């Protein structure tokens, strides 16, 4: 059997070589796209790489076209410009019309990613209420942070689906937060988002998350993110109707950020470790560990779990219908 396979391969190589050697006029014998599917953000552009075979063909001229120019146009050099959400098929045709290559371009609108600037500062991280603290929230300690950006809203199912092409969520709805995503899933999403946008999105560190949830330098010192009245700012066990709710439908906190208490727990970047009382500057958490941290409480949570200092942790492969995330960006982005 192996002998037969090798014989077939050898014959195919000989035929291709013979065809090339007979191509005395160096005519094009094929045109291919290394990538047959790409994703672009509305307003962005990219040149589709193309291979003309043989490389030394006399006439390598190509004619480019789009079957849906309201979504994406293409110029004579293969530069595609994304105009509106949807899909377009980009075709490159050889000058003699004998060979064509096609690439599907998916255009997505990322305008819903609104980032909030958070001015750096120094705060006390962890619980300071001696009568209402859990061990994981102690000891309270001083943290100093540099400037950063954090997303105004949780990542929605609409945004997730646009980037990933599927929706893992248990509770379905475009403007509901995506859930049933693990920490590992969130990283895959962020990697793809960064490929599309050319930016450097990431999960916020645990310290960045808590500082933003507290209201940053504008903090009113509230128990929950934006208020001491949990019903104003959070979807939780008593008002959620046992489900996630559309993002941004409760009041924001002092920085204009929504849902940092309740709706879904939010993965942060850090591995879990117990706090120490040592002051820290821009902490990133430990380099390795067993569990990842999630913050903020969810639609099913009791009120104390929605406090800005409350912490839970789990495997980075854990998926639950109360686990989602939001994005962060370095300040220079």
């Amino acid at each position: 059997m192996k002998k037969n396979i090798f014989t077939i391969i050898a014959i195919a190589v000989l035929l291709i070589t013979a065809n090339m050697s007979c191509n005395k006029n160096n005519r094009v014998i094929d045109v291919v796209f290394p990538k047959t599917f790409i994703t672009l953000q509305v307003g962005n552009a990219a040149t589709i790489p193309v291979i003309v075979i043989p490389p030394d063909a006399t006439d390598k001229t190509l004619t480019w076209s789009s079957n849906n120019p309201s979504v994406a146009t293409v110029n004579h050099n293969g530069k595609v410009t994304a105009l509106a959400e949807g899909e377009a098929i980009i075709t490159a045709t050889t000058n003699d019309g004998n060979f064509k290559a096609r690439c599907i371009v998916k255009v997505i609108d990322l305008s819903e990613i609104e980032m909030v600037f958070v001015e750096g500062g120094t705060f006390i991280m962890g619980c300071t209420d001696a009568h209402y603290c859990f061990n994981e929230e102690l000891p309270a300690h001083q943290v100093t942070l540099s400037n950063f950006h954090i997303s105004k809203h949780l990542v929605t199912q609409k945004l997730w689906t646009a980037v990933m092409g599927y929706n893992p969520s248990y509770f379905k709805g475009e403007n509901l937060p995506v859930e049933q995503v693990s920490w590992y899933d969130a990283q895959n999403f962020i990697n793809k988002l960064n490929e599309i946008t050319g930016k450097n999105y990431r999960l916020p560190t645990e310290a960045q998350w808590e500082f933003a949830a507290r209201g940053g330098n504008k903090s009113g010192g509230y128990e929950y993110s934006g208020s001491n009245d949990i019903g104003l700012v959070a979807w939780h066990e008593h008002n959620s109707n046992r489900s996630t709710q559309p993002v941004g439908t409760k009041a924001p906190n002092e920085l204009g950020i929504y849902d940092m208490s309740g709706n879904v727990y939010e993965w942060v970047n850090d591995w879990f470790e117990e706090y120490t009382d040592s002051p820290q500057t821009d902490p990133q958490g430990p380099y390795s560990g067993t569990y990842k941290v999630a913050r903020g409480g969810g639609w099913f949570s009791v009120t104390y779990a929605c406090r800005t200092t409350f912490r839970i942790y789990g495997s980075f492969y854990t998926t639950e219908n109360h686990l989602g995330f939001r994005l962060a960006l370095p300040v220079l982005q």
Side-chain angles (χ1 to χ4, degrees), residues 190-269:
I190 290 170
N191 289 338
K192 289 191 176 184
L193 181 64
N194 288 342
E195 285 181 15
I196 296 168
T197 62
K199 294 189 177 182
N200 188 27
Y201 290 106
R202 54 169 290 168
L203 291 175
T205 66
E206 187 173 13
Q208 287 174 334
W209 189 96
E210 185 170 321
F211 186 57
R214 287 171 172 268
N217 294 324
K218 298 179 180 180
S219 177
Y222 300 123
E223 186 173 14
Y224 310 105
S225 183
S227 179
N228 286 327
D229 183 347
I230 190 172
L232 292 178
V233 294
W235 295 108
H236 58 99
E237 68 166 351
H238 297 306
N239 66 1
S240 69
N241 197 28
R242 306 299 294 171
S243 171
T244 58
Q245 297 295 323
V247 302
T249 50
K250 287 291 184 179
N253 73 359
E254 298 93 319
L255 294 174
I257 308 171
Y258 294 83
D259 296 300
M260 296 198 83
S261 287
N263 218 348
V264 291
Y265 277 97
E266 303 176 31
W267 289 113
V268 295
N269 199 58

Side-chain angles (χ1 to χ4, degrees), residues 116-124 142-148 150 207-222 253-257:
V116 174
F117 172 73
V118 182
E119 181 184 25
T122 299
F123 74 110
I124 301 300
Q142 180 178 292
V143 172
T144 300
L145 293 175
S146 303
N147 301 338
F148 62 97
I150 195 166
Q208 287 174 334
W209 189 96
E210 185 170 321
F211 186 57
R214 287 171 172 268
N217 294 324
K218 298 179 180 180
S219 177
Y222 300 123
N253 73 359
E254 298 93 319
L255 294 174
I257 308 171

Side-chain angles (χ1 to χ4, degrees), residues 14-24 26 29 53-56:
L14 288 172
L15 289 172
I16 293 171
T17 303
N19 187 45
M20 294 286 284
S21 64
C22 292
N23 188 20
K24 296 179 180 179
N26 284 340
I29 62 172
I53 302 172
D56 61 347

Side-chain angles (χ1 to χ4, degrees), residues 30-61:
D30 205 357
V31 57
V32 296
F33 287 137
K35 292 184 177 180
T36 57
F37 184 92
I38 63 172
T39 302
L40 289 177
Q41 179 182 350
V42 172
N44 285 2
T47 298
I48 302 179
V50 63
I51 299 173
V52 177
I53 302 172
D56 61 347
T58 302
D59 185 0
K60 298 169 69 174
T61 305

Side-chain angles (χ1 to χ4, degrees), residues 28-325:
V28 174
I29 62 172
D30 205 357
V31 57
V32 296
F33 287 137
K35 292 184 177 180
T36 57
F37 184 92
I38 63 172
T39 302
L40 289 177
Q41 179 182 350
V42 172
N44 285 2
T47 298
I48 302 179
V50 63
I51 299 173
V52 177
I53 302 172
D56 61 347
T58 302
D59 185 0
K60 298 169 69 174
T61 305
L62 298 173
T63 300
W64 295 83
S65 62
S66 168
N67 78 328
N68 197 353
S70 63
V71 170
T73 59
V74 61
N75 70 6
H76 65 282
N77 291 320
K79 182 179 180 181
V80 178
T81 301
L83 302 178
E85 279 193 303
E87 286 189 356
I89 299 175
I90 303 300
T91 303
T93 306
T94 57
N95 204 29
D96 59 14
N98 291 331
F99 302 96
K100 295 181 179 182
R102 292 180 175 86
C103 178
I104 297 174
V105 176
K106 179 182 178 182
V107 180
I108 61 177
D109 185 359
L110 301 179
S111 61
E112 72 170 91
I113 304 179
E114 296 182 72
M115 304 301 290
V116 174
F117 172 73
V118 182
E119 181 184 25
T122 299
F123 74 110
I124 301 300
M125 183 173 179
C127 186
T128 56
D129 183 350
H131 301 289
Y132 199 43
C133 299
F134 292 83
N135 289 337
E136 292 81 4
E137 304 172 52
L138 298 170
H141 54 287
Q142 180 178 292
V143 172
T144 300
L145 293 175
S146 303
N147 301 338
F148 62 97
H149 293 95
I150 195 166
S151 58
K152 180 181 289 190
H153 300 292
L154 295 159
V155 171
T156 63
Q157 294 175 32
K158 179 183 178 182
L159 176 58
W160 175 280
T161 303
V163 173
M164 302 298 285
Y166 73 97
N167 185 358
S169 304
Y170 179 79
F171 303 107
K172 293 292 195 291
E174 280 195 345
N175 293 320
L176 297 179
V178 69
E179 25 86 1
Q180 292 199 144
V181 291
S182 67
W183 185 93
Y184 182 79
D185 294 330
Q187 295 299 328
N188 284 338
F189 169 88
I190 290 170
N191 289 338
K192 289 191 176 184
L193 181 64
N194 288 342
E195 285 181 15
I196 296 168
T197 62
K199 294 189 177 182
N200 188 27
Y201 290 106
R202 54 169 290 168
L203 291 175
T205 66
E206 187 173 13
Q208 287 174 334
W209 189 96
E210 185 170 321
F211 186 57
R214 287 171 172 268
N217 294 324
K218 298 179 180 180
S219 177
Y222 300 123
E223 186 173 14
Y224 310 105
S225 183
S227 179
N228 286 327
D229 183 347
I230 190 172
L232 292 178
V233 294
W235 295 108
H236 58 99
E237 68 166 351
H238 297 306
N239 66 1
S240 69
N241 197 28
R242 306 299 294 171
S243 171
T244 58
Q245 297 295 323
V247 302
T249 50
K250 287 291 184 179
N253 73 359
E254 298 93 319
L255 294 174
I257 308 171
Y258 294 83
D259 296 300
M260 296 198 83
S261 287
N263 218 348
V264 291
Y265 277 97
E266 303 176 31
W267 289 113
V268 295
N269 199 58
D270 305 39
W271 293 101
F272 173 79
E273 68 176 348
E274 294 182 355
Y275 289 158
T276 69
D277 58 5
S278 301
Q280 296 178 302
T281 299
D282 291 323
Q284 302 295 309
Y287 290 108
S288 62
T290 304
Y291 302 109
K292 287 292 185 178
V293 180
R295 301 293 298 266
W299 57 266
F300 71 101
S301 295
V302 293
T303 56
Y304 69 74
C306 297
R307 292 178 297 117
T308 58
T309 59
F310 190 74
R311 312 169 77 201
I312 63 169
Y313 51 90
S315 165
F316 56 90
Y317 284 115
T318 299
T319 58
E320 300 286 351
N321 62 15
H322 57 260
L323 276 172
F325 65 103

